[in-house]
Amino acid sequence: MDPFSQLFAAYLHTVSNSIAEVYVDSMNTTVTSQSLVYNDTNIRFQHQLWKIKPNSVCSDLEQQATQFSKCTQQAKTMFTDLCTQLSSMENLNQRGRSLSNMYCNASLNYKPMVAYISEPKQKTEQELKEKECNLMILKAMQGKSPETLEQKEKACGT
């Protein structure tokens, strides 16, 4: 192949790759990972075809319930804020409009995981007595020794 043909082939290859990249980028056909910091929370998610994949939002924190819950709630708020900000911009290009639609759809449809973990409440005196009685009933069923039966009667008040 002569140098001119090689140069022309390289030019065609570059132009066709650029067109393909622009098309893939505009249609968002590949899975794209995002990591955004919002209110001191690192929110990771993926999107494809201009739709956020709900199961990917904060998926790196799924094993830590409280952090995962906080992250998903922050993500919902972030999607709403981004929707509001992008929707208020007048001169958005096609990519900006696609992002705006993506975040607005996520703002409406994404359901965060809400988890509240609290300290267990203290048992009342009556609950403690019932627990002790049930334990002694179980022991009495396993062995009918006089000491066990006596302890059962004392615990249960019978």
Side-chain angles (χ1 to χ4, degrees):
M1 192 185 268
D2 65 81
F4 179 74
S5 297
Q6 287 179 334
L7 181 64
F8 187 67
Y11 171 76
L12 285 178
H13 181 71
T14 303
V15 168
S16 64
N17 280 349
S18 294
I19 292 171
E21 286 173 12
V22 167
Y23 178 75
V24 165
D25 189 44
S26 70
M27 298 305 291
N28 192 229
T29 56
T30 59
V31 176
T32 305
S33 295
Q34 292 279 162
S35 180
L36 302 174
V37 176
Y38 180 80
N39 291 341
D40 296 327
T41 303
N42 189 18
I43 301 169
R44 291 188 172 112
F45 61 93
Q46 295 177 332
H47 61 86
Q48 182 178 23
L49 300 173
W50 299 115
K51 289 189 181 2
I52 291 176
K53 296 176 162 250
N55 292 339
S56 72
V57 177
C58 303
S59 62
D60 57 319
L61 299 172
E62 275 183 319
Q63 298 300 316
Q64 300 150 349
T66 53
Q67 290 93 339
F68 180 66
S69 175
K70 179 185 175 209
C71 180
T72 61
Q73 290 176 56
Q74 287 290 327
K76 173 81 171 185
T77 306
M78 179 187 74
F79 296 151
T80 302
D81 285 353
L82 286 171
C83 170
T84 303
Q85 289 174 11
L86 290 171
S87 297
S88 67
M89 296 176 143
E90 292 181 18
N91 297 329
L92 283 179
N93 60 15
Q94 179 61 39
R95 180 171 167 67
R97 285 192 300 275
S98 297
L99 281 169
S100 176
N101 288 337
M102 179 179 79
Y103 289 122
C104 289
N105 284 332
S107 171
L108 294 171
N109 299 318
Y110 179 69
K111 306 286 186 241
M113 196 276 281
V114 179
Y116 297 104
I117 299 175
S118 62
E119 293 294 319
K121 65 176 187 160
Q122 289 288 77
K123 294 193 184 263
T124 64
E125 189 67 33
Q126 181 63 30
E127 290 172 325
L128 292 172
K129 285 180 182 179
E130 287 175 5
K131 181 179 177 182
E132 181 65 25
C133 176
N134 289 336
L135 181 63
M136 295 315 299
I137 290 171
L138 181 61
K139 283 186 178 182
M141 291 170 73
Q142 293 172 345
K144 303 229 182 243
S145 71
E147 301 96 32
T148 306
L149 292 173
E150 186 179 318
Q151 288 175 344
K152 179 190 128 204
E153 287 178 25
K154 181 181 175 189
C156 297
T158 56

